[in-house]
Amino acid sequence: MSKGLLIVFTGNGKGKTTAALGMAMRAAGHGLKVCFIQFIKGGWHYGELDAVKRFAGLIDLHVMGKGFTWKSDNIEEDARLAREAWDFARTMIASGLYHTVVLDEFTYLLHYGMIALDPCLDTLTNHPSGQHIVVTGRYAPERLLDAADLVTEMHAVKHPLTSGIKAQPGIEF
Ligand code: ATP
Ligand code: MG
């Protein structure tokens, strides 16, 4: 019998989202269904969005409402969108349809206080048995780390951007 894990990839080093994508691939390889929810996306055309389409029926990818840059002047509106996105994620978790549910860049919703931590931790730790949840993003709150079964902190040692090397397809997007 499988034991559902709460997994967190956090820290300021590169590799959090790509680690979660790697896990999605690994599960899909076993024919296990994955729901991959991206809470924040920049303006780039992300390669993973197209790659994942080739796994139709195995990996369901959802990009939550535009404007999730947290740079909006309308904080109320941001908070409303965040709650809406979280409601959607909760429904996917509760559906029990998925072997793994990925909440990519979800930590920011908690870090900026867009959604309440307590009910969120409750959902993340009381999910359908055997289902794994993966959360990525910087600034993961301490209590999320306490609640998790697996935490990896990506630590930035070097990044090409610091040497003036611009973002490249297949590397950053
Ligand atoms: P990736 O999507 O490549 O796995 P990530 O999810 O760990 O990276 P995020 O914190 O989500 O990284 O940041 C997204 C973007 O910021 C990526 O394009 C990434 O390359 C870049 N980035 C991540 N870490 C650093 C860093 N230490 N310095 C500069 N840019 C970074
Ligand atoms: Mg990321």
Side-chain angles (χ1 to χ4, degrees), residues 21 34-38 48-49 52-53 59-63:
L21 281 162
V34 178
C35 181
F36 200 107
I37 305 175
Q38 297 196 307
E48 64 259 33
L49 304 185
V52 158
K53 279 184 198 151
I59 305 178
D60 293 338
L61 184 121
H62 303 273
V63 181

Side-chain angles (χ1 to χ4, degrees), residues 9 13-18 38 40-41 48 104-105 108 136-138:
F9 296 132
K14 176 173 160 58
K16 301 173 291 291
T17 296
T18 43
Q38 297 196 307
I40 301 170
K41 269 294 154 196
E48 64 259 33
D104 186 40
E105 319 297 350
Y108 300 97
T136 89
R138 299 178 187 206

Side-chain angles (χ1 to χ4, degrees), residues 73-91:
D73 296 330
N74 191 341
I75 292 167
E76 290 290 304
E77 177 65 2
D78 279 351
R80 193 186 63 75
L81 286 169
R83 281 194 300 271
E84 228 172 73
W86 170 232
D87 282 345
F88 175 79
R90 279 195 316 194
T91 310

